Amino acid sequence: MTDTISNPFADRPQPKPWIAAIHAYVPGKTTGLDGQPLIKLSANENPLGTSPQARAARHDAGEQAVYPDPDSVALRHALGALHGIGPDRIVMGTGSDELLNLAAQAFAGPGDDVVYVRYGFSVYDIAARRCGARPLVAPDSDYGTDVDALLATVTPATRVVFLANPNNPTGSYVGRDAIARLHAGLRPDTLLVIDQAYAEYVAPEDDDGALALAASARNVLVTRTFSKIYGLAGERVGWATGDAALVDMLNRIRGPFNLSLSAQATALAAVGDQGFVQASYTHNRTERARFVAKLAALGNHGLRPLPSEANFVLIEFTGLLSAEAAYLGLMNRGYITRWLPGQGLPQCLRITIGTPEQMEDIAAALTQMANAGA
Ligand SMILES: *Cc1c(COP(=O)(O)O)cnc(C)c1O
């Protein structure tokens, strides 16, 4: 009883210190400073929307009063057939975010380290802290992934290494040799999580070999999502594949009915419409190349588009026009993009590849602002 009196904080539930240290994820904004809706190029969503077949399937998903299939069997079989993976080696998640968190939780905890690159996806920091592990950040190489620096950061207590490839927010990408070298440099008891949220935007000949590695190695987990090229961010569907023992662990701790009825039905139809995926891929490559070419002309004003293999471009601003001024200027013109001071990138703006008209408009606006020098 005296405890209650002597400890002024004992009159309420005490969060674990590692939980209290978490900064909540900051989602891409949808409105301007005065709350008016803006064209959203801040969350890497698909400008083509989603497959018409997926939209129709959502409408016909089935009886809402009944629990969905707890094991998402039809969806795992469809994904397995598409990628040549046994369905028993696929685990579904409420977005890949759930799976990234579960991977950290299953294999790391207090006293352990979780490693990822500087300017990595912000969920990794949350996932590491959520399970009580210590986040360790490896230095970048001109914003990109440096495999040697990543390996040098790994400690004897490192249980999980996260790498998004392509990476968000930088768009950077490392190839098959770098991924193989990273894997070869890790102890077999360290889990390598390769987050392939943007893998479908990469040219097939540039494949990083992560899925093949997940099929053969016991310590590699690959995560994928329906939020990006499939255009189903609102349905919250992700999946992971790796050794059966890894998949088994994640299955034990995921939500038992984690994929809703509409999520399963919609994603299943989306897998069946690879034409939509192909159209999205082509659209992205064409528009990204056009946009980057226009930005390249602004190099003398200090604008530098970083090489991107994803559906967005990170632009570095080192001239008179600052990233913040460009962000506010684009907002005035009706566009919300992603300015990233909270991720240590106040000099950068991330812009999702939108429609041809939007990208033309944005390139013109940046050109005008850069020429005006403010
Ligand atoms: C968008 C994104 C995801 C996907 O998250 P979901 O939870 O599947 O919507 C995962 N990793 C990275 C790097 C991303 O940018």
Side-chain angles (χ1 to χ4, degrees):
M1 292 301 107
T2 49
D3 263 12
T4 319
I5 293 156
S6 60
N7 180 354
F9 298 107
D11 65 342
R12 69 199 72 172
Q14 294 300 293
K16 291 296 168 195
W18 54 86
I19 299 292
I22 291 175
H23 294 280
Y25 181 81
V26 183
K29 292 197 175 76
T30 53
T31 57
L33 299 175
D34 56 359
Q36 91 273 22
L38 296 171
I39 294 171
K40 190 181 175 196
L41 297 176
S42 61
N44 304 338
E45 291 144 336
N46 191 329
L48 305 185
T50 192
S51 149
Q53 284 159 237
R55 200 170 293 125
R58 183 190 193 208
H59 187 258
D60 304 331
E63 178 47 64
Q64 288 177 305
V66 177
Y67 276 107
D69 174 5
D71 298 318
S72 305
V73 172
L75 180 52
R76 284 189 301 110
H77 277 78
L79 283 170
L82 179 66
H83 294 285
I85 303 170
D88 53 323
R89 293 207 303 101
I90 295 176
V91 51
M92 303 305 303
T94 310
S96 46
D97 279 2
E98 181 188 24
L99 298 162
L100 297 169
N101 277 292
L102 296 183
Q105 194 187 354
F107 298 98
D112 297 332
D113 294 335
V114 170
V115 171
Y116 47 86
V117 292
R118 188 175 183 214
Y119 312 128
F121 187 39
S122 53
V123 163
Y124 307 150
D125 178 81
I126 298 175
R129 293 177 194 275
R130 242 173 82 157
C131 66
R134 177 174 68 154
L136 286 181
V137 177
D140 61 300
S141 164
D142 191 23
Y143 299 99
T145 296
D146 180 336
V147 167
D148 296 311
L150 205 43
L151 287 172
T153 305
V154 170
T155 60
T158 298
R159 301 285 162 237
V160 179
V161 173
F162 283 114
L163 179 65
N165 200 40
N167 184 41
N168 172 19
T170 61
S172 65
Y173 186 69
V174 294
R176 176 183 286 264
D177 292 353
I179 293 291
R181 203 154 57 80
L182 172 61
H183 177 248
L186 294 174
R187 296 186 313 271
D189 68 342
T190 303
L191 176 67
L192 174 59
V193 180
I194 304 171
D195 176 346
Q196 287 198 324
Y198 302 96
E200 298 91 346
Y201 291 107
V202 176
E205 63 270 25
D206 295 332
D207 172 44
D208 67 4
L211 281 180
L213 211 49
S216 61
R218 283 195 288 194
N219 65 334
V220 175
L221 190 76
V222 170
T223 61
R224 292 262 182 131
T225 183
F226 282 81
S227 300
K228 304 291 156 58
I229 207 162
Y230 284 100
L232 291 176
E235 293 289 348
R236 313 302 306 125
V237 185
W239 58 281
T241 183
D243 187 69
L246 298 178
V247 168
D248 175 36
M249 285 306 135
L250 300 196
N251 266 321
R252 292 183 197 200
I253 55 174
R254 69 174 169 83
F257 297 101
N258 60 348
L259 260 62
S260 74
L261 199 70
S262 72
Q264 290 185 41
T266 313
L268 180 62
V271 171
D273 188 357
Q274 289 300 311
F276 176 80
V277 173
Q278 188 58 43
S280 300
Y281 168 86
T282 304
H283 166 86
N284 188 64
R285 287 190 92 73
T286 308
E287 292 310 316
R288 190 180 65 203
R290 272 169 26 121
F291 184 55
V292 166
K294 284 183 183 151
L295 294 179
L298 301 177
N300 55 334
H301 291 295
L303 273 72
R304 178 168 70 118
L306 298 172
S308 172
E309 289 296 326
N311 65 341
F312 57 84
V313 175
L314 188 71
I315 308 168
E316 182 193 44
F317 293 75
T318 52
L320 282 178
L321 175 66
S322 70
E324 181 179 18
Y327 170 69
L328 294 171
L330 289 173
M331 206 186 277
N332 278 333
R333 289 163 172 84
Y335 293 99
I336 183 80
T337 60
R338 193 77 179 256
W339 180 44
L340 295 154
Q343 285 192 60
L345 292 166
Q347 74 281 25
C348 292
L349 201 57
R350 194 193 71 191
I351 303 181
T352 305
I353 300 301
T355 65
E357 299 72 31
Q358 290 163 0
M359 298 326 285
E360 200 138 318
D361 202 19
I362 286 179
L366 288 173
T367 304
Q368 190 200 10
M369 285 188 267
N371 284 327

